[in-house]
Amino acid sequence: LRSDLTVPLSRYYANNQAVLTTPFKSLQIGNVFRADRPQKGRFRQFTQCDIDILGDSSILAEIELIAATTTMLTKIFEEVGISRFTVHVNDRRILKGMAKSAGFDEESFDTVFIILDKMDKIGMDGVVAELLEAGYAGESVEKCKTLFETVTSDIEGVRYMKDTLGEFLEEGSAEDLETIISTVEKVKTANFKIVFDPTLVRGMSYYTGPIFEIAMDEFGGSVGGGGRYDE
């Protein structure tokens, strides 16, 4: 039983990349199965709509994927009377820069991010409590908290991260995210908001760069998401 459409695609590309065009673009729709404990809005079997671009190192891939996904979702939502949704974007490199500047050890990043990913469910106070309970230094947790409380959810917030994180931030990561946000705003044909969300993590640790998630005002969880997973 397939748990995901992207992983088999990666295997297919690895085995056949010598005879495939570059970049290689794929769109798949099919049933997938996950061993989740079903919660509201989640199912062990569901239909996944999957779109991937392989072999493109530029952020044109992110821009195209977000534009294509939002166009498709708009057409689907119109059929059921839903008109509002929001695309949340972040970059794993910005998350790592934040963790470094706050003083967290690199080997603890994945654990810190897993706790941070609960922000929309347990709030800032809950995240702070879990980080302290996990044994992380109060000074690091406080720096992290201050950063999230002062940053804004627009391009100015991305620029603030660049200025604040300084040497801890991988070169080009803030500029890439700023370009993605501004370009999507200019080329979009659908009616949606795109916001910078510094608390967005996405659970899979294989992400290496920009990540995004789509949320509807009428629905508690995300209805789509993805990100870059180089190498």
Side-chain angles (χ1 to χ4, degrees), residues 91-109:
D91 194 302
R92 294 285 290 205
R93 295 171 295 178
I94 291 178
L95 281 169
K96 288 180 179 179
M98 173 275 299
K100 286 180 184 177
S101 71
F104 292 103
D105 295 328
E106 194 156 347
E107 57 267 22
S108 68
F109 284 0

Side-chain angles (χ1 to χ4, degrees), residues 115-116 119 122-138 140-146 148-149:
I115 296 173
L116 184 61
M119 184 77 74
I122 63 176
M124 178 62 76
D125 290 341
V127 167
V128 167
E130 281 209 24
L131 287 170
L132 292 174
E133 187 179 335
Y136 296 112
S140 295
V141 175
E142 188 59 35
K143 282 183 180 179
C144 187
K145 179 185 177 186
T146 300
F148 288 128
E149 287 178 338

Side-chain angles (χ1 to χ4, degrees), residues 145-180:
K145 179 185 177 186
T146 300
L147 195 58
F148 288 128
E149 287 178 338
T150 52
V151 68
T152 55
S153 61
D154 52 13
I155 282 181
E156 290 304 318
V158 181
R159 294 169 182 164
Y160 172 80
M161 281 293 199
K162 180 184 176 183
D163 294 339
T164 304
L165 301 181
E167 62 179 337
F168 297 106
L169 188 62
E170 186 175 326
E171 187 176 351
S173 53
E175 291 84 351
D176 283 352
L177 195 58
E178 183 176 337
T179 302
I180 290 170

Side-chain angles (χ1 to χ4, degrees), residues 39-202:
Q39 303 168 45
K40 184 179 180 181
R42 295 183 68 87
F43 302 92
R44 288 184 174 176
Q45 176 184 352
F46 60 97
T47 301
Q48 183 180 21
C49 303
D50 183 66
I51 181 170
D52 287 277
I53 298 176
L54 294 94
D56 187 351
S57 61
S58 77
I59 56 172
L60 288 175
E62 278 80 1
I63 294 165
E64 182 176 352
L65 288 170
I66 293 173
T69 303
T70 51
T71 300
M72 180 192 70
L73 283 175
T74 298
K75 292 180 179 180
I76 294 172
F77 291 161
E78 283 175 350
E79 295 182 7
V80 291
I82 296 171
S83 58
R84 295 175 297 172
F85 65 96
T86 303
V87 179
H88 298 255
V89 295
N90 197 9
D91 194 302
R92 294 285 290 205
R93 295 171 295 178
I94 291 178
L95 281 169
K96 288 180 179 179
M98 173 275 299
K100 286 180 184 177
S101 71
F104 292 103
D105 295 328
E106 194 156 347
E107 57 267 22
S108 68
F109 284 0
D110 283 346
T111 305
V112 171
F113 295 160
I114 288 170
I115 296 173
L116 184 61
D117 200 29
K118 301 177 183 179
M119 184 77 74
D120 60 336
K121 297 181 180 69
I122 63 176
M124 178 62 76
D125 290 341
V127 167
V128 167
E130 281 209 24
L131 287 170
L132 292 174
E133 187 179 335
Y136 296 112
E139 183 181 356
S140 295
V141 175
E142 188 59 35
K143 282 183 180 179
C144 187
K145 179 185 177 186
T146 300
L147 195 58
F148 288 128
E149 287 178 338
T150 52
V151 68
T152 55
S153 61
D154 52 13
I155 282 181
E156 290 304 318
V158 181
R159 294 169 182 164
Y160 172 80
M161 281 293 199
K162 180 184 176 183
D163 294 339
T164 304
L165 301 181
E167 62 179 337
F168 297 106
L169 188 62
E170 186 175 326
E171 187 176 351
S173 53
E175 291 84 351
D176 283 352
L177 195 58
E178 183 176 337
T179 302
I180 290 170
I181 295 172
S182 61
T183 305
V184 168
E185 284 282 13
K186 290 175 183 176
V187 304
K188 70 180 184 180
T189 57
N191 181 25
F192 64 90
K193 292 189 298 182
I194 181 168
V195 298
F196 170 51
D197 185 352
T199 68
L200 177 64
V201 175
R202 293 196 53 77

